[in-house]
Amino acid sequence: MKKLAFETLAIRTQTAQTTQKEHATPLFLTSSFTFDSAEEGAALFAKEIEGNLYSRFSNPNVDEFCTKISLLEGAESTVATASGMGAIFVCLSALLKSGDHVIASKALFGNSLYILREILPKWGIQTTFVHLNDLEGWERSFQANTKLVLVETPSNPTLDIIDLAWLSELSHKKGAKLVVDNCFATPYLQQPIKWGADIVIHSATKWIDGQGRVLGGTISGNTQDISACYDFLRRTGVSLSPFNAWVLSKSLETLHVRMDRHCENALKVAQYLEGNPNIERVIYPHLESYSNYELAKKQLQKGGGIVTAIIRGNQKKDGAKFLNQLGLFSLTANLGDTRSIATHPASTTASKLSEEQKHELGISGGLIRLSIGLENIEDIIQDLDQALNKL
Ligand SMILES: *Cc1c(COP(=O)(O)O)cnc(C)c1O
C-alpha cells in the first residue's frame, strides 16, 4: 500500500477515541492521571508498563501533536516544549556537557544567540559563530570537542540558506550532530532529516500555529537523542500545555493549505516589490534574482511566507517611515500569521546587536521584513504600494 501523504498524516493522526465517540480530539485538561490499583501505579512509576502519569511528563494532546510532527518531519521521535526557545534550550542543555564545543550560525534568533553567548559559557560550553554563507568558515571551525552544529535556514531576516546535505556530511565526518531550526520553512517546505540533519527544532508559535494564538516548540530526531531531551524537559518543567498542544495539533491539519497560499502571496509580493522604484533589493528564495536560487529550488518546496526588502537609499528613517504609512499590515513582533506583518529589524528584533554585527548580518537601516498573510493579494499589494509611494 502507498504510504500516506503529508496532508493525510497531518489530518488523520489522532489520539484514540474515548467512550464518548467524539470525532475531533477532545481537550485533556488534567494535571494527572489515575491508576486502577496500587500495583498499576507502581508499575507505571517503574516504567514496566506505558501510560500517562502526570501532564509535565506526558498528555494525550501533547502526544498527538508530537506524533504528527515526527511523521511530518520524518523523525523517529519528538518532544514538545512550552515555546520555541524552550526547545532550543532543552536541546542544547540535554545534548551538551561541560567542555563541549558548538558551531553556530551568526544569523540565529536573538534569544538563541543569548543562550550560546551568555548561558552555556557558564557551564563550560563554548561556541564559534560562522556566517551562513562562509562555507570555508564552517570547515575551519571544527575542533576535537565539537559536538553540535546549529543553523537556521532560511535565516532571519536576510533569508540566507545553507546546503543541508553538505553541512550534515561535514558535521558527521567531524563527529558532530547537525541541529536545524526549521521555523521559517516548516516541515511542509523543508524536511532537514531527509538531507541528513540529526535534530529539527521548531518554534510552533509561528507558521505551525499560523494564527498568532499560542506559544509552543518541538525537538525531533532519533529515539536516543530525543529521549535525552525528554528526560531533561520533564524534570525541568519546560513542558507544552495540553491546551496549546490541542490548538497546534488542529493547526497542523491546515498547514499545507495555509503554506501554499502564504507562499503564493509572498511570491507575488516579491515580484511586485522587484518592480517598484522605491525598492533597492528584494530577497525571496524562489525569485530568480536570489543569490542561491538553485539550492533554494532544490531544498525548499516553495519560497516561504517571508519577503525581505531594502528601501532605496537604505536609510533607517525610511524603514520607520514606511512602517508608519502601512494601514493593513500589523506592526507586531511576530511572524507566520494569517495577518500580514511588517517588521523593521534594525530598530526592533535586531536592535540589541552592535552596528558591526548588524552590518555583518546585512541588517541595514532600510531593510524591512514582511510576513505575508492570507488576506486578498490585491489588498496586500495595495497597502504596500500606497506606503511606498509616500516615501
Ligand atoms: C520565534 C523563533 C524562535 C523562538 O520561538 P518562541 O516560540 O517565540 O519561543 C526560535 N527560532 C526562530 C527562527 C524563531 O523565529
Side-chain angles (χ1 to χ4, degrees):
M1 211 172 91
K2 174 184 165 298
K3 253 179 62 195
L4 294 178
F6 186 98
E7 300 86 333
T8 315
L9 291 170
I11 291 170
R12 287 288 168 178
T13 305
Q14 198 164 356
T15 302
Q17 209 174 39
T18 74
T19 50
Q20 300 297 327
K21 299 237 171 209
E22 71 281 351
H23 188 208
T25 300
L27 183 47
F28 291 91
L29 274 188
T30 175
S31 352
S32 68
F33 301 84
T34 57
F35 323 128
D36 283 342
S37 64
E39 290 73 22
E40 192 190 50
L44 272 166
F45 266 87
K47 292 194 187 157
E48 288 160 15
I49 55 171
E50 283 206 10
N52 295 310
L53 263 173
Y54 191 65
S55 282
R56 174 152 43 76
F57 302 172
S58 71
N59 172 284
N61 293 120
V62 177
D63 291 347
E64 179 184 290
F65 175 56
C66 288
T67 306
K68 280 190 188 180
I69 292 284
S70 289
L71 289 166
L72 302 184
E73 284 289 359
E76 278 175 23
S77 181
T78 296
V79 285
T81 50
S83 68
M85 283 325 303
I88 289 167
F89 183 63
V90 166
C91 173
L92 296 173
S93 311
L95 301 181
L96 293 168
K97 60 177 191 326
S98 181
D100 285 348
H101 173 250
V102 179
I103 310 176
S105 166
K106 285 182 177 173
L108 287 182
F109 190 67
N111 296 303
S112 303
L113 292 174
Y114 181 88
I115 293 176
L116 293 164
R117 287 208 183 103
E118 308 292 333
I119 301 179
L120 296 189
K122 292 198 286 190
W123 301 339
I125 300 162
Q126 302 298 331
T127 301
T128 302
F129 294 94
V130 181
H131 194 290
L132 209 56
N133 296 335
D134 178 12
L135 300 189
E136 279 167 25
W138 290 100
E139 287 176 355
R140 236 187 358 251
S141 299
F142 283 89
Q143 304 176 2
N145 58 342
T146 304
K147 293 288 157 56
L148 285 187
V149 174
L150 174 62
V151 295
E152 279 172 33
T153 176
S155 70
N156 180 19
T158 51
L159 306 179
D160 289 312
I161 59 172
I162 193 163
D163 189 331
L164 288 173
W166 176 82
L167 188 61
S168 57
E169 199 187 320
L170 176 69
S171 306
H172 295 159
K173 209 165 65 193
K174 307 279 188 180
K177 285 176 181 161
L178 175 61
V179 183
V180 179
D181 180 334
N182 199 26
C183 173
F184 270 42
T186 81
Y188 184 56
L189 303 183
Q190 171 177 278
Q191 294 160 323
I193 290 174
K194 192 175 88 183
W195 302 110
D198 301 279
I199 291 170
V200 179
I201 288 180
H202 278 289
S203 165
T205 315
K206 311 293 170 53
W207 303 104
I208 289 180
D209 171 36
Q211 289 145 91
R213 301 165 298 182
V214 299
L215 298 176
T218 58
I219 315 166
S220 305
N222 69 33
T223 311
Q224 196 188 352
D225 288 337
I226 298 310
S227 136
C229 291
Y230 172 66
D231 282 338
F232 186 90
L233 108 81
R234 71 182 188 135
R235 292 185 169 89
T236 53
V238 202
S239 324
L240 181 66
S241 94
F243 178 78
N244 288 10
W246 177 79
V247 171
L248 292 168
S249 183
K250 205 70 191 157
S251 299
L252 281 177
E253 295 188 17
T254 55
L255 180 69
H256 58 286
V257 185
R258 290 185 284 108
M259 288 315 292
D260 277 343
R261 183 62 71 84
H262 281 296
C263 294
E264 186 187 319
N265 283 354
L267 180 62
K268 284 183 184 154
V269 165
Q271 285 163 341
Y272 155 76
L273 291 173
E274 265 201 326
N276 188 297
N278 278 329
I279 293 290
E280 194 165 296
R281 189 171 155 225
V282 181
I283 309 170
Y284 186 70
H286 277 209
L287 272 186
E288 273 179 53
S289 58
Y290 180 69
S291 55
N292 218 340
Y293 181 65
E294 288 309 313
L295 177 62
K297 279 286 194 184
K298 179 183 121 183
Q299 199 162 273
L300 289 162
Q301 297 291 331
K302 295 186 179 191
I306 304 285
V307 180
T308 297
I310 294 166
I311 295 173
R312 189 159 303 283
N314 209 352
Q315 297 296 312
K316 196 166 174 179
K317 64 173 185 357
D318 293 330
K321 192 169 171 195
F322 170 74
L323 247 62
N324 287 334
Q325 299 300 337
L326 289 167
L328 188 70
F329 275 68
S330 309
L331 308 186
T332 178
N334 196 16
L335 61 90
D337 197 310
T338 52
R339 298 159 181 230
S340 294
I341 297 167
T343 309
H344 183 230
S347 63
T348 57
T349 47
S351 59
K352 301 241 167 36
L353 300 178
S354 68
E355 285 308 315
E356 192 193 329
Q357 284 171 322
K358 274 190 268 198
H359 178 73
E360 197 177 23
L361 293 175
I363 304 174
S364 53
L367 183 140
I368 47 170
R369 183 189 77 193
L370 303 172
S371 170
I372 304 303
L374 303 179
E375 302 95 337
N376 179 281
I377 184 61
E378 285 170 24
D379 294 338
I380 294 173
I381 290 179
Q382 180 178 286
D383 194 34
L384 294 170
D385 197 58
Q386 61 81 24
L388 285 168
N389 283 341
K390 289 190 187 128
L391 289 178

